[in-house]
Amino acid sequence: MIVKRQFHGYNECMTALSLRERYEQLKQEIHFHNYRYHVLDAPLISDAEFDRLVAELKRIEAEHPDWVTPDSPSQRAGAAPSEKFEKVRHPRPILSLANAFGAEEARAWFERIRKLDERVERAAFVVEPKIDGLSVVLHYRDGLFVQGATRGDGEIGEDITANLRTVRAIPLRIPLAGMDRGPWTVDRDAQEALTSNHASQPSLFDDLRPPSAVPRPPSSLFVRGEVFITLKDFEALNRRLQEAGEKTYLNPRNTAAGSLRQLDPAITASRPLTLLVYQVVYAEGGEVPATQWELLAWLRGLGFPVTDVARRFESLEEALAHVQTWEHRRDELGYEADGMVIKLDDLRLAEGLGYVGKDPRGAIAFKFPAREVTTKLLAIEVEVGRTGVLTPRAVLEPVEIGGVIVRNATLHNFDYIAEKDIRVGDRVLVKRAGEVIPYVIGPVSEARSGAEQPYRPPETCPACGGAVEHFEGEVAWYCVNAACPAQLVRNVEHFVSKGAMDIGGLGPKIVEKLIQAGLVRDVADLYFLRREDILAAVTKKERKTEKEPPGKIADNLLAAIAESKKQPLARLVAALGIRGVGEVVARDLAQAFGSLDALAAASAEQLQTVEGIGPNIAAAIVDWFGREQNRKVLEKLKAAGVWPQSSTVHGPSSTGALAGLTFVVTGTLAGFTREGVKEFIEAHGGKVSDSVSRNTDYLVLGEAPGSKLQKAQALGVKIIEEEELRKMCS
Ligand code: IVH
């Protein structure tokens, strides 16, 4: 057997790799590529290639469950929900930080500690961002991640190991396999890209040491870091939730905190949490660097995510000058930071200074001014989104927040306005973080004059006057008129966007004109546009330069529209704008069904056999394809030749002992996690469904079964136990 070995971007051929060797190799590869993606933000392979590696790993693990070790990439998710969090005593107190508001307070801190130890006079400092997230402590024993805890009261935290395992930036084993060959040697470009943004001072990456210096960690190591959500991920998460009619989150910090405190790790796994580490709390059985600067490089060398904007300075004044530049550049960080931490570089010197209460003397948090202000809420406007969701938006008396004039802010949803009792005319507290849309925190009720008006959500769509509806289990109100012009504009914008049909040059102004002129009544009409239609719709704004003739714009656009007919099925499925069906779900649907005809004919049950599709999305898909006007759009697309077929139908496998059989699982199984049993059945060609129906062949019965058992009995579905399931496959 010849197995092609693909690792670290090299290809080499290896002969006669045993399955066990291949398995070990796969684990390392997946960890390595995970690190490239989630820690360095510099992937070497595509998502699809990565998915294939994971699928191969899971196939092997399904056949050899006894090979699986806790550091396998498959063990990040899948732990069963717990009842409560156990308490964990930290090996040493998890300290906080004293604050300094302004340079004077920082200088006063320096004076105080200089008096305690004269070596402070000549001390160097390290400056790092103060990330606004949740402090966690990660315990590694013999290189293996064994426990993770919240800070708690600083002495005792809560055991959130299962949740932290789902955070992909956290290494499950250190040092990360491949570190010696990986980022240290092949990745000068990525390092340069990362450091060039902040090039004024030497960076951690300049401290690169040769591969032989990849350290061996102490046998017991407790590392502290901050778990958070980047502003970009936060916005994307909220956008998805909003389009699905679900409640959006208020801010990244609360979302991260709430996600870490979920009893079901599967929920945590679905949130885009990440982490940066900055401290060793305790170590035994090995050396740890004696300066903060070396410590950060050392942690990085072990495979931990470490900030790339830390800098070292020979004096406090230099450190302060640097910190002050960050006050204006904080948006560049991409996450919420409420200040910068100034730390004595010499960790022993810092330690020797002791602490005051919970604040160590050797470091101080230089706080940035808060980006919250009050202003008057002039009006509440309602926007209509692509899926028809009505979203309230605050119109504010313009106000400056951290150097930006803010005129609008999000109010999340109508329930939020009611819960917070936000009234038009109120003084409201508004917060802005990074590039994220500012949001209204709440009213300043004390400032009311009595003239403020309680708000009532609209009973009709503000764009078309049509009916609005509320769906069971959702927070949003929808305009259900498919011909609503506001929805249509958003729909077309979505259809032509990059992740969908990718038709460049079709800007919102042209779209609006085409809709106004009655030339575009649905997305399929784009494929029937004539040159003169576009010419009439092209306004001056569309011409990038005065010289670009409208004829050329029209020709380019027609070419782009024609070219989009070649887009694969997954793109078209994503482009349709079905609630809850983004790029990832669309890709899975395209793989499972292979054509729009098959997808349109699928029942909610069948849809739910696709991983990641629950009852809500399945219902939304069935609903979408059931609507008359959508069927018309599909017919028109077909007539226009926009009807891609997927050549890679993965679907349930047609071979294997369980091929053609549908299973439902109830209760807890002794030898499988919930995900594990699903993978086992699928690996043997079977399908797994969430609910019992006449199409169910077997109910797999575990401890403490739910109502599925009664339903299966009522329908006469065969009931088997875990043992029998295994026998069917052996
Ligand atoms: S050092 C002895 N460094 O800020 C070490 N803390 O307000 C004390 N934080 O509880 C902490 N980023 O959760 C340190 N780069 C950083 C930090 C940081 C965020 C948090 C930490 C701490 C809080 C204090």
Side-chain angles (χ1 to χ4, degrees):
M1 181 175 64
I2 305 234
V3 177
K4 197 159 196 197
R5 186 171 190 259
Q6 219 178 21
F7 194 21
H8 309 169
Y10 311 131
N11 283 330
E12 54 189 78
C13 282
M14 290 188 81
T15 47
L17 258 193
S18 73
L19 190 63
R20 186 59 191 257
E21 282 169 331
R22 173 63 184 155
Y23 175 63
E24 295 303 326
Q25 183 192 58
L26 268 173
K27 284 205 293 193
Q28 290 194 8
E29 285 190 32
I30 294 169
H31 279 313
F32 177 76
H33 290 300
N34 176 70
Y35 174 82
R36 299 287 318 193
Y37 188 97
H38 290 281
V39 177
L40 293 189
D41 197 12
L44 292 173
I45 58 173
S46 71
D47 290 0
E49 284 168 293
F50 184 80
D51 291 349
R52 274 201 290 280
L53 294 177
V54 175
E56 189 184 344
L57 177 99
K58 289 190 175 176
R59 269 200 305 278
I60 299 178
E61 290 190 342
E63 280 171 34
H64 300 278
D66 53 315
W67 290 0
V68 183
T69 50
D71 66 329
S72 163
S74 67
Q75 301 303 297
R76 285 203 178 267
S82 54
E83 305 262 295
K84 63 175 179 52
F85 299 116
E86 298 298 330
K87 298 273 181 253
V88 181
R89 179 172 288 279
H90 299 302
R92 288 182 63 198
I94 304 303
L95 299 175
S96 184
L97 283 172
N99 292 328
F101 296 92
E104 275 320 304
E105 289 190 19
R107 289 186 187 112
W109 161 71
F110 178 77
E111 282 307 316
R112 282 197 303 275
I113 60 172
R114 194 174 59 104
K115 284 190 191 131
L116 291 174
D117 192 322
E118 61 184 18
R119 285 175 297 170
V120 169
E121 178 79 45
R122 296 171 309 280
F125 296 87
V126 171
V127 175
E128 298 164 23
K130 182 170 178 317
I131 307 149
D132 202 4
L134 283 305
S135 220
V136 294
V137 179
L138 310 172
H139 182 194
Y140 290 79
R141 201 182 301 124
D142 297 324
L144 201 65
F145 174 55
V146 288
Q147 193 172 53
T150 60
R151 173 172 186 266
D153 62 4
E155 305 275 336
I156 294 174
E158 285 181 317
D159 183 342
I160 51 164
T161 313
N163 288 345
L164 287 171
R165 295 183 82 85
T166 72
V167 178
R168 284 168 194 282
I170 295 182
L172 296 180
R173 175 179 282 284
I174 51 166
L176 186 93
M179 281 302 281
D180 48 347
R181 284 163 292 178
W184 305 97
T185 51
V186 290
D187 199 29
R188 274 281 163 195
D189 285 353
Q191 287 154 14
E192 267 160 33
L194 280 168
T195 49
S196 59
N197 299 340
H198 316 282
S200 57
Q201 294 293 329
S203 114
L204 266 184
F205 294 97
D206 299 336
D207 259 11
L208 283 183
R209 288 164 299 162
S212 60
V214 171
R216 166 181 278 280
S219 51
S220 182
L221 178 69
F222 291 78
V223 176
R224 176 180 179 186
E226 208 78 359
V227 170
F228 62 99
I229 297 182
T230 67
L231 294 169
K232 205 165 127 230
D233 285 341
F234 176 73
E235 259 203 327
L237 176 68
N238 261 356
R239 216 178 308 121
R240 269 205 313 279
L241 288 171
Q242 194 178 64
E243 283 174 6
E246 288 173 36
K247 242 192 178 130
T248 48
Y249 294 107
L250 302 188
N251 62 55
R253 191 177 186 281
N254 287 357
T255 316
S259 304
L260 277 186
R261 292 199 40 86
Q262 293 292 329
L263 289 169
D264 183 356
I267 300 180
T268 314
S270 72
R271 310 275 167 78
L273 297 173
T274 188
L275 161 105
L276 287 170
V277 304
Y278 50 76
Q279 192 196 359
V280 167
V281 174
Y282 181 74
E284 232 177 59
E287 288 294 302
V288 173
T291 68
Q292 177 68 6
W293 187 243
E294 284 167 334
L295 183 84
L296 292 175
W298 181 81
L299 287 167
R300 194 175 175 93
L302 285 172
F304 287 105
V306 174
T307 174
D308 59 311
V309 301
R311 295 290 180 273
R312 183 179 181 278
F313 298 93
E314 296 296 341
S315 72
L316 180 72
E317 284 311 314
E318 286 170 82
L320 281 175
H322 175 72
V323 164
Q324 280 159 337
T325 66
W326 272 110
E327 228 172 276
H328 312 288
R329 292 165 53 199
R330 59 198 273 201
D331 287 354
E332 288 174 28
L333 289 172
Y335 49 80
E336 282 199 278
D338 50 352
M340 299 298 268
V341 189
I342 305 177
K343 300 178 177 179
L344 277 175
D345 188 28
D346 183 335
L347 293 172
R348 285 199 201 104
L349 176 60
E351 179 94 27
L353 291 171
Y355 42 91
V356 191
K358 291 194 167 179
D359 305 333
R361 286 204 181 87
I364 196 145
F366 187 103
K367 298 285 282 217
F368 292 147
R371 292 201 290 197
E372 289 175 17
V373 299
T374 65
T375 186
K376 192 172 174 183
L377 175 64
L378 300 175
I380 295 178
E381 281 180 352
V382 176
E383 285 181 339
V384 187
R386 168 172 69 79
T387 52
V389 178
L390 304 189
T391 311
R393 192 170 72 131
V395 181
L396 305 169
E397 203 163 80
V399 63
E400 196 206 297
I401 315 183
V404 173
I405 304 289
V406 172
R407 294 190 163 78
N408 296 106
T410 176
L411 283 160
H412 307 291
N413 55 59
F414 297 115
D415 285 359
Y416 185 77
I417 300 177
E419 272 162 31
K420 297 269 169 177
D421 185 22
I422 297 169
R423 304 181 186 179
V424 175
D426 262 338
R427 264 208 103 66
V428 286
L429 187 60
V430 181
K431 177 164 177 149
R432 181 181 81 83
E435 307 298 319
V436 174
I437 306 164
Y439 69 97
V440 175
I441 296 177
V444 186
S445 323
E446 297 76 17
R448 277 187 182 148
S449 69
E452 298 78 12
Q453 296 292 317
Y455 178 73
R456 287 184 42 162
E459 282 159 15
T460 54
C461 169
C464 71
V468 297
E469 265 185 43
H470 188 68
F471 297 108
E472 183 70 33
E474 293 188 7
V475 67
W477 285 85
Y478 287 88
C479 163
V480 287
N481 170 17
C484 170
Q487 266 183 68
L488 188 53
V489 174
R490 300 273 131 73
N491 243 315
V492 176
E493 275 171 10
H494 172 73
F495 188 85
V496 306
S497 67
K498 273 216 153 34
M501 298 303 271
D502 194 11
I503 306 177
L506 205 51
K509 283 276 167 310
I510 303 188
V511 172
E512 265 169 47
K513 276 229 166 176
L514 292 169
I515 290 173
Q516 271 165 18
L519 292 163
V520 170
R521 293 202 170 84
D522 57 48
V523 292
D525 283 338
L526 294 174
Y527 293 95
F528 296 93
L529 286 174
R530 295 161 310 171
R531 192 168 187 269
E532 53 268 37
D533 299 336
I534 298 175
L535 277 180
V538 174
T539 60
K540 261 205 185 127
K541 232 186 143 187
E542 257 69 45
R543 302 192 215 170
K544 286 179 213 87
T545 64
E546 278 303 314
K547 279 183 218 121
E548 197 165 18
K552 186 152 178 266
I553 296 175
D555 291 338
N556 288 346
L557 203 50
L558 284 172
I561 292 172
E563 186 65 23
S564 77
K565 292 183 183 178
K566 296 186 203 148
Q567 290 289 9
L569 178 62
R571 293 293 198 99
L572 181 57
V573 173
L576 295 176
I578 304 169
R579 247 181 321 131
V581 181
E583 283 172 49
V584 177
V585 174
R587 202 179 61 194
D588 295 343
L589 286 171
Q591 277 188 352
F593 292 93
S595 74
L596 269 186
D597 294 297
L599 181 58
S603 66
E605 280 269 293
Q606 288 166 329
L607 289 164
Q608 283 182 60
T609 62
V610 177
E611 180 146 349
I613 298 197
N616 285 347
I617 299 182
I621 297 169
V622 172
D623 178 75
W624 196 92
F625 283 102
R627 286 179 187 260
E628 180 60 29
Q629 74 267 14
N630 291 337
R631 291 196 166 270
K632 278 200 188 126
V633 172
L634 292 177
E635 273 165 34
K636 277 161 75 177
L637 285 171
K638 201 176 207 172
V642 191
W643 208 249
Q645 312 276 321
S646 167
S647 51
T648 52
V649 185
H650 283 208
S653 135
S654 54
T655 56
L658 308 180
L661 299 175
T662 301
F663 292 78
V664 173
V665 182
T666 183
T668 314
L669 304 179
F672 286 116
T673 61
R674 275 180 313 159
E675 272 305 299
V677 70
K678 187 164 181 230
E679 279 159 17
F680 179 80
I681 293 170
E682 286 174 352
H684 289 94
K687 277 200 288 185
V688 180
S689 167
D690 277 348
S691 55
V692 177
S693 75
R694 288 185 196 286
N695 297 330
T696 312
D697 294 295
Y698 290 97
L699 180 80
V700 184
L701 188 64
E703 274 293 301
S707 61
K708 289 174 190 164
L709 176 60
Q710 279 118 47
K711 192 157 177 206
Q713 284 165 336
L715 290 174
V717 170
K718 273 175 255 157
I719 298 167
I720 57 168
E721 290 187 358
E722 207 174 328
E723 268 305 303
E724 285 168 82
L725 176 68
R726 285 193 199 270
K727 272 196 205 128
M728 288 167 81
C729 306
S730 59

